[in-house]
Amino acid sequence: MLYGHGDDLYRYPDIRVNFSSNVYNHFDHQGLYAHLAGRLSSIESYPEPTSSRLEARIAESLNLQEQQVMATSGATEAIYLVAEAFAGSRSAILAPTFAEYADACRLSGHHIIYITDLTQLPADCRLMWICNPNNPTGTVVDRDFFADFIDSHPQTLFVVDASYAPFTLRPMMTPEEGAQRPNVLMLHSMTKRFAVPGLRLGFVTAADELLSTLRRRQKPWSIGSLAQQAALYLIAHAHDYVLPTAVLVSEAQRMARALEATGLVDVHPTDSHILLCRLRHGTAANLKERLARRHGLLIRDAANFHGLTPAHFRIAVQSSDEDDALLRALKALFC
């Protein structure tokens, strides 16, 4: 899907607050900027073809072996590599969720089945795609139930997109626990964790034999020199990038109550900073344009998520002041 994602900020020149992306927009990147400014000459040489130094640093930070980590150009590259590695498979997708799983599967000739509950997983599915915490609902599958479910379905490969794991307080399967299982591939996003979507940084963790299947298909120089330099800096300075997860989750609960109280929308329960909303009247596309043009606020039209409607939109909460600005704008538009 080239278009139709969140964060189409490039289309709107005067946005004050961007709710459409699930990125936390309040980190100070000045240290990263200075670090990269001092390494601009790296663009004059080819980067490492397989990002091995970066993979070693990621593995060390997660208590994994280097061969259990593969760096990718964002989680999206990993999604397409997985689909290609298991081309022609029967894939189940827990919906509604990120459309890129289905797009990648179609490109590689998969037979796709959408399910709305894990217990609906057909026995003959080779792959199970799940975003946990989920985009766009923000919900989390219970950790113990999920681990037991994975272990009871050894014939199925579980592709677990954990891009939003840093944004929930609910217990989650760790990369180390996933790599101990022969049927789990976990996708991770440095884009989301460190709020650097323009750099396209991600990685996969899995048992080394399983990862080798993906490595054989990854193109050389997948991650550019400056992106690798940035990733190494971010890992080394993770203490400067502590997500206020408890604050964000609490703010999401406050916003959910406040949005419901307007009488304008229904809000899906969430376990993270993501809120899926449904307008009681009108379309999300129209609301998005009005909020952007009149108030400088950008939301995500969620109509193109499988199973959702033109009335659905998604936001990622920001600061309480910014969230209150969205509430005031909604009331101004409808009241």
Short mmCIF file of all heavy atoms in Angstrom, two decimals, residues 228-271:
data_model
loop_
_atom_site.label_atom_id
_atom_site.label_comp_id
_atom_site.label_asym_id
_atom_site.label_seq_id
_atom_site.Cartn_x
_atom_site.Cartn_y
_atom_site.Cartn_z
N GLN A 228 22.10 3.53 9.67
CA GLN A 228 22.83 2.65 10.58
C GLN A 228 23.51 3.44 11.69
O GLN A 228 23.49 3.05 12.86
CB GLN A 228 23.87 1.83 9.80
CG GLN A 228 23.27 0.77 8.89
CD GLN A 228 24.33 -0.17 8.33
OE1 GLN A 228 25.24 -0.57 9.04
NE2 GLN A 228 24.19 -0.53 7.05
N GLN A 229 24.11 4.58 11.33
CA GLN A 229 24.73 5.43 12.34
C GLN A 229 23.69 5.91 13.35
O GLN A 229 23.95 5.94 14.57
CB GLN A 229 25.39 6.64 11.67
CG GLN A 229 26.60 6.31 10.82
CD GLN A 229 27.85 6.05 11.66
OE1 GLN A 229 27.83 6.23 12.88
NE2 GLN A 229 28.91 5.63 11.02
N ALA A 230 22.52 6.27 12.87
CA ALA A 230 21.46 6.73 13.76
C ALA A 230 21.02 5.62 14.70
O ALA A 230 20.81 5.84 15.90
CB ALA A 230 20.27 7.23 12.93
N ALA A 231 20.85 4.42 14.16
CA ALA A 231 20.40 3.30 14.98
C ALA A 231 21.39 2.99 16.09
O ALA A 231 21.00 2.76 17.25
CB ALA A 231 20.19 2.07 14.10
N LEU A 232 22.67 3.00 15.77
CA LEU A 232 23.68 2.74 16.79
C LEU A 232 23.67 3.82 17.86
O LEU A 232 23.80 3.53 19.07
CB LEU A 232 25.07 2.67 16.14
CG LEU A 232 25.30 1.44 15.24
CD1 LEU A 232 26.58 1.62 14.41
CD2 LEU A 232 25.41 0.17 16.09
N TYR A 233 23.48 5.05 17.46
CA TYR A 233 23.38 6.16 18.42
C TYR A 233 22.17 5.98 19.32
O TYR A 233 22.27 6.14 20.55
CB TYR A 233 23.29 7.50 17.68
CG TYR A 233 23.06 8.67 18.60
CD1 TYR A 233 24.14 9.38 19.13
CD2 TYR A 233 21.77 9.06 18.94
CE1 TYR A 233 23.92 10.46 19.99
CE2 TYR A 233 21.55 10.13 19.80
CZ TYR A 233 22.62 10.83 20.32
OH TYR A 233 22.41 11.88 21.17
N LEU A 234 21.03 5.66 18.74
CA LEU A 234 19.80 5.54 19.52
C LEU A 234 19.88 4.42 20.54
O LEU A 234 19.41 4.55 21.68
CB LEU A 234 18.62 5.33 18.57
CG LEU A 234 18.26 6.54 17.71
CD1 LEU A 234 17.28 6.14 16.61
CD2 LEU A 234 17.69 7.67 18.55
N ILE A 235 20.47 3.30 20.17
CA ILE A 235 20.63 2.20 21.12
C ILE A 235 21.53 2.63 22.28
O ILE A 235 21.24 2.36 23.44
CB ILE A 235 21.19 0.96 20.40
CG1 ILE A 235 20.18 0.41 19.41
CG2 ILE A 235 21.56 -0.13 21.42
CD1 ILE A 235 20.73 -0.65 18.49
N ALA A 236 22.62 3.32 21.94
CA ALA A 236 23.56 3.76 22.97
C ALA A 236 22.97 4.84 23.87
O ALA A 236 23.40 5.00 25.02
CB ALA A 236 24.85 4.27 22.32
N HIS A 237 22.00 5.59 23.36
CA HIS A 237 21.40 6.69 24.12
C HIS A 237 19.93 6.42 24.43
O HIS A 237 19.14 7.36 24.55
CB HIS A 237 21.55 7.99 23.34
CG HIS A 237 22.97 8.45 23.19
ND1 HIS A 237 23.82 7.92 22.24
CD2 HIS A 237 23.70 9.36 23.89
CE1 HIS A 237 25.01 8.51 22.34
NE2 HIS A 237 24.96 9.35 23.33
N ALA A 238 19.59 5.16 24.59
CA ALA A 238 18.19 4.81 24.89
C ALA A 238 17.69 5.49 26.16
O ALA A 238 16.49 5.76 26.30
CB ALA A 238 18.05 3.30 25.01
N HIS A 239 18.60 5.79 27.08
CA HIS A 239 18.21 6.46 28.32
C HIS A 239 17.68 7.87 28.07
O HIS A 239 16.99 8.44 28.92
CB HIS A 239 19.40 6.52 29.29
CG HIS A 239 20.61 7.17 28.71
ND1 HIS A 239 21.51 6.47 27.92
CD2 HIS A 239 21.09 8.45 28.78
CE1 HIS A 239 22.49 7.29 27.55
NE2 HIS A 239 22.25 8.49 28.05
N ASP A 240 18.00 8.45 26.92
CA ASP A 240 17.47 9.76 26.57
C ASP A 240 16.13 9.66 25.84
O ASP A 240 15.54 10.69 25.50
CB ASP A 240 18.46 10.50 25.66
CG ASP A 240 19.75 10.86 26.38
OD1 ASP A 240 19.70 11.13 27.60
OD2 ASP A 240 20.81 10.87 25.72
N TYR A 241 15.67 8.44 25.60
CA TYR A 241 14.45 8.21 24.84
C TYR A 241 13.50 7.30 25.62
O TYR A 241 13.03 6.29 25.11
CB TYR A 241 14.78 7.58 23.48
CG TYR A 241 15.43 8.52 22.51
CD1 TYR A 241 16.81 8.74 22.52
CD2 TYR A 241 14.67 9.24 21.59
CE1 TYR A 241 17.41 9.62 21.64
CE2 TYR A 241 15.26 10.12 20.69
CZ TYR A 241 16.63 10.30 20.73
OH TYR A 241 17.21 11.19 19.84
N VAL A 242 13.24 7.67 26.85
CA VAL A 242 12.35 6.88 27.69
C VAL A 242 10.90 7.29 27.39
O VAL A 242 10.51 8.44 27.62
CB VAL A 242 12.66 7.08 29.18
CG1 VAL A 242 11.69 6.29 30.04
CG2 VAL A 242 14.10 6.67 29.49
N LEU A 243 10.13 6.37 26.88
CA LEU A 243 8.73 6.66 26.59
C LEU A 243 7.94 6.78 27.89
O LEU A 243 8.06 5.93 28.77
CB LEU A 243 8.12 5.54 25.75
CG LEU A 243 8.42 5.55 24.26
CD1 LEU A 243 8.06 4.21 23.64
CD2 LEU A 243 7.67 6.68 23.57
N PRO A 244 7.10 7.80 28.01
CA PRO A 244 6.24 7.93 29.19
C PRO A 244 5.00 7.05 29.05
O PRO A 244 3.86 7.53 28.99
CB PRO A 244 5.89 9.42 29.20
CG PRO A 244 5.87 9.80 27.75
CD PRO A 244 6.95 8.96 27.10
N THR A 245 5.22 5.74 29.01
CA THR A 245 4.14 4.82 28.66
C THR A 245 2.96 4.93 29.61
O THR A 245 1.80 4.97 29.16
CB THR A 245 4.67 3.37 28.66
OG1 THR A 245 5.77 3.28 27.75
CG2 THR A 245 3.59 2.40 28.23
N ALA A 246 3.22 4.97 30.92
CA ALA A 246 2.11 5.06 31.88
C ALA A 246 1.30 6.32 31.65
O ALA A 246 0.06 6.30 31.73
CB ALA A 246 2.66 5.02 33.30
N VAL A 247 1.98 7.43 31.36
CA VAL A 247 1.29 8.69 31.10
C VAL A 247 0.45 8.59 29.83
O VAL A 247 -0.71 9.04 29.79
CB VAL A 247 2.30 9.84 30.99
CG1 VAL A 247 1.62 11.14 30.54
CG2 VAL A 247 3.02 10.05 32.31
N LEU A 248 1.01 8.00 28.79
CA LEU A 248 0.29 7.88 27.52
C LEU A 248 -0.93 6.98 27.64
O LEU A 248 -2.00 7.29 27.10
CB LEU A 248 1.23 7.35 26.43
CG LEU A 248 2.33 8.31 25.98
CD1 LEU A 248 3.29 7.60 25.04
CD2 LEU A 248 1.74 9.53 25.30
N VAL A 249 -0.79 5.86 28.33
CA VAL A 249 -1.92 4.95 28.52
C VAL A 249 -3.01 5.63 29.34
O VAL A 249 -4.21 5.53 29.02
CB VAL A 249 -1.47 3.65 29.19
CG1 VAL A 249 -2.67 2.79 29.58
CG2 VAL A 249 -0.54 2.86 28.25
N SER A 250 -2.62 6.34 30.40
CA SER A 250 -3.60 7.07 31.21
C SER A 250 -4.28 8.15 30.39
O SER A 250 -5.50 8.34 30.50
CB SER A 250 -2.89 7.68 32.43
OG SER A 250 -3.78 8.46 33.18
N GLU A 251 -3.51 8.85 29.56
CA GLU A 251 -4.08 9.89 28.72
C GLU A 251 -5.05 9.30 27.70
O GLU A 251 -6.09 9.91 27.38
CB GLU A 251 -2.97 10.67 28.02
CG GLU A 251 -3.43 11.77 27.08
CD GLU A 251 -4.17 12.91 27.77
OE1 GLU A 251 -4.23 12.94 29.02
OE2 GLU A 251 -4.71 13.77 27.04
N ALA A 252 -4.73 8.13 27.17
CA ALA A 252 -5.64 7.47 26.22
C ALA A 252 -6.97 7.14 26.89
O ALA A 252 -8.04 7.31 26.29
CB ALA A 252 -4.99 6.21 25.67
N GLN A 253 -6.92 6.69 28.14
CA GLN A 253 -8.17 6.39 28.86
C GLN A 253 -8.96 7.66 29.12
O GLN A 253 -10.19 7.68 28.99
CB GLN A 253 -7.84 5.68 30.17
CG GLN A 253 -7.12 4.34 30.02
CD GLN A 253 -7.90 3.34 29.19
OE1 GLN A 253 -9.13 3.27 29.26
NE2 GLN A 253 -7.19 2.56 28.38
N ARG A 254 -8.26 8.74 29.47
CA ARG A 254 -8.95 10.02 29.69
C ARG A 254 -9.61 10.51 28.40
O ARG A 254 -10.77 10.94 28.39
CB ARG A 254 -7.96 11.07 30.19
CG ARG A 254 -8.62 12.43 30.49
CD ARG A 254 -7.60 13.51 30.79
NE ARG A 254 -6.93 14.01 29.59
CZ ARG A 254 -7.39 15.01 28.84
NH1 ARG A 254 -8.56 15.60 29.12
NH2 ARG A 254 -6.72 15.42 27.78
N MET A 255 -8.85 10.43 27.30
CA MET A 255 -9.39 10.88 26.02
C MET A 255 -10.56 10.03 25.57
O MET A 255 -11.53 10.54 24.99
CB MET A 255 -8.29 10.87 24.97
CG MET A 255 -7.49 12.15 24.90
SD MET A 255 -8.47 13.58 24.37
CE MET A 255 -8.63 13.26 22.61
N ALA A 256 -10.49 8.74 25.82
CA ALA A 256 -11.60 7.86 25.44
C ALA A 256 -12.88 8.29 26.15
O ALA A 256 -13.95 8.39 25.54
CB ALA A 256 -11.26 6.41 25.78
N ARG A 257 -12.76 8.58 27.44
CA ARG A 257 -13.95 9.03 28.20
C ARG A 257 -14.45 10.38 27.68
O ARG A 257 -15.66 10.59 27.54
CB ARG A 257 -13.61 9.11 29.69
CG ARG A 257 -13.32 7.77 30.35
CD ARG A 257 -13.23 7.90 31.86
NE ARG A 257 -12.11 8.75 32.28
CZ ARG A 257 -10.89 8.31 32.54
NH1 ARG A 257 -10.61 7.02 32.40
NH2 ARG A 257 -9.94 9.14 32.93
N ALA A 258 -13.51 11.29 27.42
CA ALA A 258 -13.89 12.62 26.97
C ALA A 258 -14.53 12.59 25.58
O ALA A 258 -15.50 13.31 25.31
CB ALA A 258 -12.66 13.54 26.96
N LEU A 259 -13.99 11.75 24.70
CA LEU A 259 -14.57 11.63 23.36
C LEU A 259 -15.97 11.03 23.41
O LEU A 259 -16.88 11.50 22.72
CB LEU A 259 -13.65 10.77 22.48
CG LEU A 259 -12.36 11.44 22.00
CD1 LEU A 259 -11.39 10.41 21.46
CD2 LEU A 259 -12.66 12.49 20.93
N GLU A 260 -16.13 10.00 24.22
CA GLU A 260 -17.46 9.40 24.38
C GLU A 260 -18.45 10.43 24.93
O GLU A 260 -19.62 10.48 24.52
CB GLU A 260 -17.38 8.20 25.32
CG GLU A 260 -16.63 6.99 24.75
CD GLU A 260 -17.57 6.04 24.01
OE1 GLU A 260 -18.74 6.40 23.80
OE2 GLU A 260 -17.10 4.94 23.65
N ALA A 261 -17.96 11.27 25.85
CA ALA A 261 -18.85 12.24 26.50
C ALA A 261 -19.36 13.31 25.54
O ALA A 261 -20.39 13.94 25.79
CB ALA A 261 -18.12 12.90 27.67
N THR A 262 -18.65 13.51 24.42
CA THR A 262 -19.13 14.49 23.45
C THR A 262 -20.41 14.03 22.77
O THR A 262 -21.15 14.85 22.20
CB THR A 262 -18.07 14.75 22.37
OG1 THR A 262 -17.87 13.55 21.58
CG2 THR A 262 -16.76 15.22 22.97
N GLY A 263 -20.67 12.73 22.79
CA GLY A 263 -21.83 12.19 22.09
C GLY A 263 -21.63 12.10 20.59
O GLY A 263 -22.55 11.72 19.86
N LEU A 264 -20.41 12.40 20.13
CA LEU A 264 -20.14 12.40 18.69
C LEU A 264 -19.54 11.10 18.19
O LEU A 264 -19.68 10.76 17.02
CB LEU A 264 -19.18 13.55 18.35
CG LEU A 264 -19.63 14.96 18.73
CD1 LEU A 264 -18.48 15.94 18.52
CD2 LEU A 264 -20.85 15.35 17.91
N VAL A 265 -18.84 10.37 19.07
CA VAL A 265 -18.11 9.18 18.64
C VAL A 265 -18.25 8.06 19.66
O VAL A 265 -18.53 8.28 20.83
CB VAL A 265 -16.60 9.48 18.45
CG1 VAL A 265 -16.38 10.54 17.38
CG2 VAL A 265 -15.96 9.91 19.75
N ASP A 266 -18.03 6.85 19.17
CA ASP A 266 -17.85 5.68 20.03
C ASP A 266 -16.38 5.30 19.95
O ASP A 266 -15.75 5.38 18.89
CB ASP A 266 -18.71 4.50 19.54
CG ASP A 266 -20.20 4.82 19.59
OD1 ASP A 266 -20.67 5.29 20.65
OD2 ASP A 266 -20.87 4.62 18.56
N VAL A 267 -15.80 4.87 21.08
CA VAL A 267 -14.38 4.59 21.15
C VAL A 267 -14.16 3.14 21.53
O VAL A 267 -14.75 2.63 22.49
CB VAL A 267 -13.68 5.50 22.18
CG1 VAL A 267 -12.18 5.25 22.18
CG2 VAL A 267 -13.96 6.97 21.88
N HIS A 268 -13.29 2.47 20.77
CA HIS A 268 -12.96 1.07 21.03
C HIS A 268 -12.06 0.99 22.27
O HIS A 268 -11.16 1.82 22.44
CB HIS A 268 -12.23 0.49 19.82
CG HIS A 268 -12.09 -0.99 19.82
ND1 HIS A 268 -11.17 -1.66 20.60
CD2 HIS A 268 -12.75 -1.95 19.12
CE1 HIS A 268 -11.27 -2.95 20.38
NE2 HIS A 268 -12.21 -3.17 19.48
N PRO A 269 -12.25 0.00 23.14
CA PRO A 269 -11.34 -0.17 24.28
C PRO A 269 -9.90 -0.34 23.82
O PRO A 269 -9.64 -0.94 22.77
CB PRO A 269 -11.86 -1.45 24.96
CG PRO A 269 -13.28 -1.57 24.52
CD PRO A 269 -13.34 -1.01 23.14
N THR A 270 -8.96 0.18 24.58
CA THR A 270 -7.55 0.13 24.19
C THR A 270 -6.67 -0.23 25.36
O THR A 270 -7.04 -0.01 26.52
CB THR A 270 -7.10 1.49 23.60
OG1 THR A 270 -5.76 1.38 23.12
CG2 THR A 270 -7.17 2.59 24.65
N ASP A 271 -5.49 -0.78 25.06
CA ASP A 271 -4.47 -1.07 26.08
C ASP A 271 -3.21 -0.25 25.84
O ASP A 271 -2.18 -0.52 26.46
CB ASP A 271 -4.10 -2.57 26.03
CG ASP A 271 -5.26 -3.48 26.35
OD1 ASP A 271 -5.90 -3.27 27.39
OD2 ASP A 271 -5.54 -4.39 25.55
#
